[in-house]
Amino acid sequence: MKPFRNISIRKKILVSMLAFTLIPIILVSAAATTITYKTMRDQLIYDHRMSSGWL
C-alpha cells in the first residue's frame, strides 16, 4: 500500500470521513453493550436472590 502522504486528497478525505463516522459508532455500540450486559447481570443476581428468599 502507498504511504499516506502519497495518496490523493480525495482518498484522504474519504478515509478521514470514514474514520470520523465509524469511531463514534464503535464507541457508542461498545458503551451500550457494556451497560446492557451489566444491567442484565445485575437483574439476574437480584432475581436469584429474590427466588432464594422465597424458599
Side-chain angles (χ1 to χ4, degrees):
M1 187 170 180
K2 297 180 185 178
F4 191 72
R5 61 187 165 119
N6 292 340
I7 298 176
S8 69
I9 190 70
R10 287 183 183 177
K11 288 184 182 177
K12 287 180 185 177
I13 291 172
L14 180 66
V15 168
S16 63
M17 285 171 50
L18 181 65
F20 283 122
T21 302
L22 288 179
I23 290 172
I25 291 172
I26 291 170
L27 290 175
V28 168
S29 297
T33 303
T34 304
I35 291 169
T36 302
Y37 176 77
K38 185 177 181 290
T39 304
M40 190 170 53
R41 182 176 171 270
D42 292 343
Q43 185 65 39
L44 286 172
I45 291 171
Y46 176 75
D47 289 345
H48 185 272
R49 286 182 182 159
M50 292 300 293
S51 297
S52 297
W54 281 97
L55 295 176

PDB file of all heavy atoms in Angstrom, residues 1 4 7-22:
ATOM      1  N   MET A   1       0.839  -1.184   0.000  1.00  0.00           N
ATOM      2  CA  MET A   1       0.000   0.000   0.000  1.00  0.00           C
ATOM      3  C   MET A   1       0.880   1.242   0.000  1.00  0.00           C
ATOM      4  O   MET A   1       1.956   1.264   0.572  1.00  0.00           O
ATOM      5  CB  MET A   1      -0.904  -0.011   1.237  1.00  0.00           C
ATOM      6  CG  MET A   1      -1.915   1.081   1.215  1.00  0.00           C
ATOM      7  SD  MET A   1      -3.119   0.817   2.552  1.00  0.00           S
ATOM      8  CE  MET A   1      -4.115   2.228   2.252  1.00  0.00           C
ATOM      9  N   PHE A   4       0.730   7.158   3.255  1.00  0.00           N
ATOM     10  CA  PHE A   4      -0.448   8.017   3.359  1.00  0.00           C
ATOM     11  C   PHE A   4      -0.225   9.373   2.694  1.00  0.00           C
ATOM     12  O   PHE A   4      -1.140   9.939   2.118  1.00  0.00           O
ATOM     13  CB  PHE A   4      -0.826   8.208   4.830  1.00  0.00           C
ATOM     14  CG  PHE A   4      -2.159   8.862   5.028  1.00  0.00           C
ATOM     15  CD1 PHE A   4      -3.324   8.170   4.755  1.00  0.00           C
ATOM     16  CD2 PHE A   4      -2.253  10.168   5.458  1.00  0.00           C
ATOM     17  CE1 PHE A   4      -4.557   8.760   4.922  1.00  0.00           C
ATOM     18  CE2 PHE A   4      -3.484  10.775   5.632  1.00  0.00           C
ATOM     19  CZ  PHE A   4      -4.633  10.060   5.364  1.00  0.00           C
ATOM     20  N   ILE A   7      -1.069   9.517  -1.141  1.00  0.00           N
ATOM     21  CA  ILE A   7      -2.439   9.276  -1.591  1.00  0.00           C
ATOM     22  C   ILE A   7      -3.087  10.610  -1.957  1.00  0.00           C
ATOM     23  O   ILE A   7      -2.801  11.644  -1.355  1.00  0.00           O
ATOM     24  CB  ILE A   7      -3.239   8.565  -0.482  1.00  0.00           C
ATOM     25  CG1 ILE A   7      -2.615   7.198  -0.184  1.00  0.00           C
ATOM     26  CG2 ILE A   7      -4.690   8.379  -0.882  1.00  0.00           C
ATOM     27  CD1 ILE A   7      -3.264   6.467   0.959  1.00  0.00           C
ATOM     28  N   SER A   8      -3.988  10.586  -2.925  1.00  0.00           N
ATOM     29  CA  SER A   8      -4.649  11.816  -3.368  1.00  0.00           C
ATOM     30  C   SER A   8      -5.515  12.399  -2.261  1.00  0.00           C
ATOM     31  O   SER A   8      -5.928  11.710  -1.339  1.00  0.00           O
ATOM     32  CB  SER A   8      -5.504  11.547  -4.610  1.00  0.00           C
ATOM     33  OG  SER A   8      -6.613  10.757  -4.271  1.00  0.00           O
ATOM     34  N   ILE A   9      -5.799  13.688  -2.382  1.00  0.00           N
ATOM     35  CA  ILE A   9      -6.581  14.394  -1.361  1.00  0.00           C
ATOM     36  C   ILE A   9      -7.993  13.830  -1.245  1.00  0.00           C
ATOM     37  O   ILE A   9      -8.560  13.763  -0.156  1.00  0.00           O
ATOM     38  CB  ILE A   9      -6.594  15.917  -1.631  1.00  0.00           C
ATOM     39  CG1 ILE A   9      -7.189  16.686  -0.449  1.00  0.00           C
ATOM     40  CG2 ILE A   9      -7.365  16.243  -2.884  1.00  0.00           C
ATOM     41  CD1 ILE A   9      -6.336  16.700   0.754  1.00  0.00           C
ATOM     42  N   ARG A  10      -8.571  13.393  -2.334  1.00  0.00           N
ATOM     43  CA  ARG A  10      -9.915  12.805  -2.302  1.00  0.00           C
ATOM     44  C   ARG A  10      -9.932  11.536  -1.467  1.00  0.00           C
ATOM     45  O   ARG A  10     -10.843  11.308  -0.684  1.00  0.00           O
ATOM     46  CB  ARG A  10     -10.412  12.504  -3.715  1.00  0.00           C
ATOM     47  CG  ARG A  10     -10.798  13.722  -4.483  1.00  0.00           C
ATOM     48  CD  ARG A  10     -11.344  13.339  -5.829  1.00  0.00           C
ATOM     49  NE  ARG A  10     -11.663  14.535  -6.599  1.00  0.00           N
ATOM     50  CZ  ARG A  10     -12.108  14.507  -7.823  1.00  0.00           C
ATOM     51  NH1 ARG A  10     -12.294  13.345  -8.429  1.00  0.00           N
ATOM     52  NH2 ARG A  10     -12.385  15.622  -8.464  1.00  0.00           N
ATOM     53  N   LYS A  11      -8.925  10.696  -1.650  1.00  0.00           N
ATOM     54  CA  LYS A  11      -8.864   9.459  -0.875  1.00  0.00           C
ATOM     55  C   LYS A  11      -8.590   9.759   0.596  1.00  0.00           C
ATOM     56  O   LYS A  11      -9.115   9.085   1.474  1.00  0.00           O
ATOM     57  CB  LYS A  11      -7.810   8.528  -1.441  1.00  0.00           C
ATOM     58  CG  LYS A  11      -8.226   7.911  -2.760  1.00  0.00           C
ATOM     59  CD  LYS A  11      -7.222   6.914  -3.264  1.00  0.00           C
ATOM     60  CE  LYS A  11      -7.656   6.368  -4.606  1.00  0.00           C
ATOM     61  NZ  LYS A  11      -6.669   5.442  -5.168  1.00  0.00           N
ATOM     62  N   LYS A  12      -7.780  10.770   0.866  1.00  0.00           N
ATOM     63  CA  LYS A  12      -7.523  11.158   2.257  1.00  0.00           C
ATOM     64  C   LYS A  12      -8.805  11.642   2.925  1.00  0.00           C
ATOM     65  O   LYS A  12      -9.084  11.295   4.073  1.00  0.00           O
ATOM     66  CB  LYS A  12      -6.461  12.263   2.323  1.00  0.00           C
ATOM     67  CG  LYS A  12      -5.065  11.782   2.035  1.00  0.00           C
ATOM     68  CD  LYS A  12      -4.090  12.937   2.119  1.00  0.00           C
ATOM     69  CE  LYS A  12      -2.695  12.503   1.725  1.00  0.00           C
ATOM     70  NZ  LYS A  12      -1.754  13.625   1.726  1.00  0.00           N
ATOM     71  N   ILE A  13      -9.581  12.457   2.204  1.00  0.00           N
ATOM     72  CA  ILE A  13     -10.849  12.945   2.751  1.00  0.00           C
ATOM     73  C   ILE A  13     -11.806  11.780   2.976  1.00  0.00           C
ATOM     74  O   ILE A  13     -12.478  11.709   4.004  1.00  0.00           O
ATOM     75  CB  ILE A  13     -11.460  14.014   1.820  1.00  0.00           C
ATOM     76  CG1 ILE A  13     -10.613  15.281   1.850  1.00  0.00           C
ATOM     77  CG2 ILE A  13     -12.899  14.318   2.219  1.00  0.00           C
ATOM     78  CD1 ILE A  13     -11.024  16.327   0.835  1.00  0.00           C
ATOM     79  N   LEU A  14     -11.870  10.863   2.045  1.00  0.00           N
ATOM     80  CA  LEU A  14     -12.738   9.697   2.176  1.00  0.00           C
ATOM     81  C   LEU A  14     -12.359   8.859   3.402  1.00  0.00           C
ATOM     82  O   LEU A  14     -13.221   8.469   4.188  1.00  0.00           O
ATOM     83  CB  LEU A  14     -12.679   8.849   0.909  1.00  0.00           C
ATOM     84  CG  LEU A  14     -13.538   7.589   0.903  1.00  0.00           C
ATOM     85  CD1 LEU A  14     -15.015   7.957   0.938  1.00  0.00           C
ATOM     86  CD2 LEU A  14     -13.229   6.739  -0.303  1.00  0.00           C
ATOM     87  N   VAL A  15     -11.067   8.616   3.559  1.00  0.00           N
ATOM     88  CA  VAL A  15     -10.602   7.822   4.693  1.00  0.00           C
ATOM     89  C   VAL A  15     -10.886   8.542   6.006  1.00  0.00           C
ATOM     90  O   VAL A  15     -11.334   7.931   6.987  1.00  0.00           O
ATOM     91  CB  VAL A  15      -9.094   7.505   4.546  1.00  0.00           C
ATOM     92  CG1 VAL A  15      -8.517   6.945   5.832  1.00  0.00           C
ATOM     93  CG2 VAL A  15      -8.870   6.541   3.399  1.00  0.00           C
ATOM     94  N   SER A  16     -10.655   9.841   6.054  1.00  0.00           N
ATOM     95  CA  SER A  16     -10.903  10.589   7.293  1.00  0.00           C
ATOM     96  C   SER A  16     -12.402  10.643   7.617  1.00  0.00           C
ATOM     97  O   SER A  16     -12.797  10.521   8.774  1.00  0.00           O
ATOM     98  CB  SER A  16     -10.317  11.990   7.220  1.00  0.00           C
ATOM     99  OG  SER A  16     -10.945  12.734   6.196  1.00  0.00           O
ATOM    100  N   MET A  17     -13.249  10.813   6.603  1.00  0.00           N
ATOM    101  CA  MET A  17     -14.694  10.800   6.833  1.00  0.00           C
ATOM    102  C   MET A  17     -15.141   9.436   7.341  1.00  0.00           C
ATOM    103  O   MET A  17     -15.973   9.346   8.248  1.00  0.00           O
ATOM    104  CB  MET A  17     -15.444  11.153   5.541  1.00  0.00           C
ATOM    105  CG  MET A  17     -15.376  12.615   5.192  1.00  0.00           C
ATOM    106  SD  MET A  17     -16.036  13.027   3.561  1.00  0.00           S
ATOM    107  CE  MET A  17     -17.591  12.231   3.553  1.00  0.00           C
ATOM    108  N   LEU A  18     -14.594   8.382   6.773  1.00  0.00           N
ATOM    109  CA  LEU A  18     -14.923   7.030   7.218  1.00  0.00           C
ATOM    110  C   LEU A  18     -14.506   6.829   8.676  1.00  0.00           C
ATOM    111  O   LEU A  18     -15.274   6.292   9.480  1.00  0.00           O
ATOM    112  CB  LEU A  18     -14.233   6.006   6.320  1.00  0.00           C
ATOM    113  CG  LEU A  18     -14.487   4.542   6.622  1.00  0.00           C
ATOM    114  CD1 LEU A  18     -15.955   4.206   6.383  1.00  0.00           C
ATOM    115  CD2 LEU A  18     -13.606   3.663   5.770  1.00  0.00           C
ATOM    116  N   ALA A  19     -13.323   7.294   9.025  1.00  0.00           N
ATOM    117  CA  ALA A  19     -12.837   7.148  10.403  1.00  0.00           C
ATOM    118  C   ALA A  19     -13.697   7.954  11.369  1.00  0.00           C
ATOM    119  O   ALA A  19     -14.073   7.458  12.434  1.00  0.00           O
ATOM    120  CB  ALA A  19     -11.376   7.589  10.486  1.00  0.00           C
ATOM    121  N   PHE A  20     -14.012   9.205  10.997  1.00  0.00           N
ATOM    122  CA  PHE A  20     -14.823  10.047  11.881  1.00  0.00           C
ATOM    123  C   PHE A  20     -16.254   9.536  12.011  1.00  0.00           C
ATOM    124  O   PHE A  20     -16.952   9.860  12.966  1.00  0.00           O
ATOM    125  CB  PHE A  20     -14.840  11.501  11.403  1.00  0.00           C
ATOM    126  CG  PHE A  20     -13.577  12.243  11.739  1.00  0.00           C
ATOM    127  CD1 PHE A  20     -12.828  12.823  10.733  1.00  0.00           C
ATOM    128  CD2 PHE A  20     -13.152  12.361  13.048  1.00  0.00           C
ATOM    129  CE1 PHE A  20     -11.657  13.513  11.036  1.00  0.00           C
ATOM    130  CE2 PHE A  20     -11.997  13.046  13.367  1.00  0.00           C
ATOM    131  CZ  PHE A  20     -11.240  13.618  12.349  1.00  0.00           C
ATOM    132  N   THR A  21     -16.693   8.726  11.067  1.00  0.00           N
ATOM    133  CA  THR A  21     -18.025   8.141  11.146  1.00  0.00           C
ATOM    134  C   THR A  21     -18.014   6.852  11.961  1.00  0.00           C
ATOM    135  O   THR A  21     -18.896   6.633  12.797  1.00  0.00           O
ATOM    136  CB  THR A  21     -18.564   7.845   9.731  1.00  0.00           C
ATOM    137  OG1 THR A  21     -18.583   9.060   8.985  1.00  0.00           O
ATOM    138  CG2 THR A  21     -19.962   7.270   9.787  1.00  0.00           C
ATOM    139  N   LEU A  22     -17.019   6.016  11.736  1.00  0.00           N
ATOM    140  CA  LEU A  22     -17.003   4.700  12.381  1.00  0.00           C
ATOM    141  C   LEU A  22     -16.575   4.741  13.841  1.00  0.00           C
ATOM    142  O   LEU A  22     -17.099   3.973  14.647  1.00  0.00           O
ATOM    143  CB  LEU A  22     -16.078   3.754  11.609  1.00  0.00           C
ATOM    144  CG  LEU A  22     -16.603   3.286  10.269  1.00  0.00           C
ATOM    145  CD1 LEU A  22     -15.596   2.375   9.595  1.00  0.00           C
ATOM    146  CD2 LEU A  22     -17.928   2.563  10.430  1.00  0.00           C
TER     147      LEU A  22
END
